[in-house]
Amino acid sequence: MSKTKPTDNNSLPFLETKKSVAKVLNNYIQTSKDCKGNVLVQKSPQEIAEELNLKELFEKGFKDLTDLESFIKIYLKHTNHLRNPRYVGHQVAVPQDLSGIPDWIHGTINNPSSLYEMGPSGATLEGFMINWMLSKLNWFKGNDLYDFSNHKDNGSGTLTHGGSIANMTALSAARAKIAPESWMEGSPKDLVVMGPSTSHYSIVRSLSIMGMGKNSFIPVPVDTNEVIQTEALENIYAQIKKDGKRVMAVVANACATSTGLFDPLNKMADFCKKHQLWFHVDGAHGAVALLSKKNKHKVNGIKYADSIIWDAHKMLRVPALCTAVLFKQQEDQWNSFHQKGSYVFHENEVVGIDSMPYTIECTKSALGTKLFWSFALEGKKAISLFVENTFQQAQDLYTYLNERIDFYCPYIPQSNILCFQYCPDKLSNIQQLKLRYALINSGKFYITSCEINGERFLRTVLSNPLTQQEDFIAMANTIKSLAEALFFEKRQ
Ligand SMILES: *Cc1c(COP(=O)(O)O)cnc(C)c1O
């Protein structure tokens, strides 16, 4: 027997500690919102590790509350401040101020939601939110969102840690449909997947992981703004058949990660219906258009899909990660993983909803609670308004940049993503990229960049309700002066 027994006592008092953390976070939120301080200052990992005093804390722990508080303050200093209105970077939700509460509760009770008996509340909230998402697609056949039974022709779905896993889940279900023997015997060699050449990389990566190989993805050409050319579908399909292959799924972008433009889902749905092909809509970013009366038409045809994915941590203000993978026919989900572990799947005795049989993950966090919370904080309407506003922000930025002669926008935005170039007649692709780094290293703004058809663009994703016209003007002017300092000064 060891002399010192482990204890289950925190050395720090619960309530007092939470209160002091809340105070520090509140200050973080307010200063970020007020645009005080930089969006991002990047130090090297060595510098951050030293400033945080990681080695000592790791050995000895926090001495007292002051110790912990100072750690959190330094930690927060070295973060990307998403709440700063001049953060217009990646497709990552700017959360509501109180979005962190479900993570706090989960972190305190640790009830994974994939087995009902390990967390009935979390699993119920997941079931409820899935019902609601299905109802948005007309795939819910219950009488009311509290109806968790398996109605005939019902849709179904589950929440996963992210869109990449969700895409793989949907593709596995598509394979189980066309080639159920794959689960035992491996993938037949004649299966291919068609989709825009600009499909998210997680599609091809899933196919590789599933043992089908990268080459099983048959890219369909896209137009200059990376939207699928539906006219090409028939010819490519004919060639696939001629080569003796079978199409396991057709994938659509709704919307494309780079440009935020939507593939014409109706046309793709018609094509899939005609040839009886599985239709998968990658709605990671844009499925949210379903919530906006004004923007719904952009995903017309989505309800004809067999499967869709929808990221809540991009556009529904949910902190990472939370994605839904949804199926029009529940049987398709039931059949996707033919694997039984006797300790978890005892169908006849279980109460409630177990999502475990249908997920790649085993343990997962209470994702439904996070998703529900987003709505519960302000009510459903506020989320729709938020979505509509982000789409409008991209329009406004477009209108502003399009009026300036020194900026070029290649398309009218359809979502909250907008790409542009500064003086494309004078600056090369490499120089556009250099501008992006100069801008983010200034700490004043955070934007991303992408390639569209091999050309480099600056890219913004608008998802902060506080970002407004004056920020657009300041951003454009900062880009201009950086470009002058970097590329034009010598000539003057
Ligand atoms: C972001 C995105 C994904 C990947 O989702 P993660 O949640 O980041 O894994 C997949 N497809 C599209 C179209 C996306 O925009």
Side-chain angles (χ1 to χ4, degrees):
M1 279 250 302
S2 88
K3 277 184 214 143
T4 41
K5 276 195 190 162
T7 66
D8 191 27
N9 292 329
N10 287 87
S11 49
L12 303 172
F14 187 89
L15 286 177
E16 221 181 307
T17 307
K18 293 281 186 185
K19 218 158 139 187
S20 108
V21 173
K23 221 162 107 189
V24 176
L25 285 174
N26 185 52
N27 187 46
Y28 176 85
I29 291 171
Q30 290 315 322
T31 47
S32 305
K33 282 184 173 177
D34 294 343
C35 228
K36 287 187 196 136
N38 289 314
V39 184
L40 169 71
V41 178
Q42 292 186 86
K43 292 272 170 65
S44 73
Q46 286 84 354
E47 284 171 295
I48 295 176
E50 270 172 34
E51 203 181 332
L52 284 169
N53 198 16
L54 295 187
K55 275 188 203 158
E56 192 180 321
L57 289 174
F58 184 75
E59 289 293 331
K60 301 185 184 150
F62 297 119
K63 274 198 310 292
D64 51 25
L65 197 46
T66 321
D67 223 19
L68 178 141
E69 220 180 89
S70 101
F71 175 86
I72 295 177
K73 281 182 187 159
I74 300 166
Y75 185 94
L76 292 175
K77 191 167 99 185
H78 298 293
T79 56
N80 198 330
H81 296 65
L82 273 61
R83 281 190 178 76
N84 188 312
R86 297 184 171 186
Y87 168 91
V88 284
H90 287 284
Q91 301 155 278
V92 174
V94 175
Q96 293 134 306
D97 293 353
L98 294 173
S99 284
I101 291 179
D103 278 332
W104 174 28
I105 297 173
H106 176 71
T108 308
I109 62 170
N110 196 23
N111 272 201
S113 69
S114 44
L115 279 182
Y116 191 78
E117 61 191 36
M118 277 303 288
S121 291
T124 300
L125 263 61
E126 173 166 345
F128 179 80
M129 291 313 293
I130 291 287
N131 281 354
W132 172 76
M133 285 173 137
L134 291 172
S135 74
K136 289 273 123 200
L137 294 150
N138 290 336
W139 293 354
F140 180 65
K141 308 295 175 204
N143 301 319
D144 140 310
L145 296 182
Y146 290 172
D147 187 346
F148 301 108
S149 50
N150 306 322
H151 290 277
K152 191 176 170 311
D153 293 331
N154 215 10
S156 66
T158 183
L159 297 176
T160 69
H161 288 92
S164 306
I165 287 178
N167 268 335
M168 186 148 92
T169 308
L171 291 169
S172 301
R175 184 172 65 179
K177 179 109 178 195
I178 194 171
E181 73 282 6
S182 311
W183 192 260
M184 295 298 283
E185 292 158 23
S187 255
K189 292 283 167 239
D190 62 344
L191 298 183
V192 297
V193 169
M194 298 168 71
S197 55
T198 50
S199 294
H200 190 264
Y201 71 82
S202 60
I203 297 287
V204 170
R205 195 176 272 189
S206 297
L207 298 179
S208 290
I209 296 170
M210 287 162 66
M212 295 170 60
K214 200 173 161 178
N215 292 341
S216 66
F217 183 75
I218 309 289
V220 178
V222 294
D223 67 14
T224 51
N225 292 319
E226 304 205 331
V227 175
I228 194 167
Q229 293 185 309
T230 45
E231 319 81 81
L233 286 169
E234 287 292 351
N235 278 344
I236 292 177
Y237 183 63
Q239 186 60 45
I240 288 170
K241 288 198 24 181
K242 214 166 125 199
D243 295 343
K245 306 261 179 176
R246 290 182 293 159
V247 172
M248 178 182 108
V250 177
V251 177
N253 277 331
C255 48
T257 309
S258 54
T259 57
L261 298 177
F262 291 83
D263 284 341
L265 302 184
N266 256 330
K267 281 191 190 154
M268 295 179 75
D270 286 346
F271 169 78
C272 290
K273 191 174 169 200
K274 179 174 163 197
H275 300 288
Q276 298 194 339
L277 305 173
W278 182 290
F279 184 30
H280 174 64
V281 175
D282 183 349
H285 189 95
V288 79
L290 283 166
L291 306 190
S292 155
K293 274 209 183 85
K294 214 166 129 191
N295 295 289
K296 225 177 172 162
H297 67 276
K298 293 168 184 165
V299 288
N300 269 352
I302 195 169
K303 63 176 181 200
Y304 302 117
D306 295 283
S307 56
I308 81 159
I309 74 156
W310 179 353
D311 273 358
H313 59 267
K314 284 180 175 163
M315 293 297 292
L316 290 177
R317 311 208 71 180
V318 179
L321 291 173
C322 178
T323 303
V325 53
L326 304 168
F327 298 90
K328 185 165 60 196
Q329 291 297 335
Q330 58 199 355
E331 290 81 3
D332 287 336
Q333 184 181 25
W334 297 342
N335 292 337
S336 47
F337 306 124
H338 283 287
Q339 187 180 44
K340 300 251 165 188
S342 58
Y343 56 100
V344 282
F345 310 132
H346 9 239
E347 277 112 4
N348 299 324
E349 296 135 60
V350 294
V351 181
I353 321 146
D354 285 350
S355 63
M356 193 177 272
Y358 316 120
T359 62
I360 290 169
E361 296 142 299
C362 176
T363 309
K364 71 178 192 189
S365 55
L367 301 174
T369 312
K370 287 163 65 144
L371 177 52
F372 174 78
W373 201 258
S374 216
F375 291 82
L377 278 176
E378 297 180 86
K380 193 171 75 174
K381 186 137 184 263
I383 296 295
S384 302
L385 278 175
F386 165 80
V387 171
E388 226 152 67
N389 183 60
T390 63
F391 282 41
Q392 186 58 45
Q393 285 171 315
Q395 280 291 332
D396 295 345
L397 176 59
Y398 170 80
T399 306
Y400 173 67
L401 293 180
N402 202 39
E403 276 167 9
R404 290 181 60 139
I405 47 162
D406 49 350
F407 281 88
Y408 166 66
C409 304
Y411 58 86
I412 299 170
Q414 291 177 353
S415 63
N416 62 331
I417 300 177
L418 181 69
C419 299
F420 56 86
Q421 289 173 321
Y422 181 70
C423 288
D425 49 331
K426 299 194 191 98
L427 300 187
S428 66
N429 282 334
I430 290 169
Q431 287 173 318
Q432 300 288 346
L433 191 59
K434 277 195 173 150
L435 265 183
R436 188 237 163 195
Y437 283 112
L439 189 65
I440 69 166
N441 290 338
S442 78
K444 295 197 178 83
F445 294 88
Y446 185 83
I447 66 168
T448 52
S449 93
C450 70
E451 279 190 345
I452 307 177
N453 270 319
E455 259 197 79
R456 181 59 64 177
F457 283 80
L458 303 175
R459 174 172 173 274
T460 48
V461 179
L462 288 303
S463 48
N464 186 325
L466 296 178
T467 307
Q468 48 187 333
Q469 189 78 3
E470 66 176 69
D471 302 306
F472 301 155
I473 298 170
M475 179 177 74
N477 289 338
T478 309
I479 290 174
K480 178 175 186 241
S481 54
L482 287 170
E484 270 159 14
L486 280 169
F487 311 125
F488 300 139
E489 207 129 75
K490 283 174 215 127
R491 283 187 223 157
Q492 281 164 0

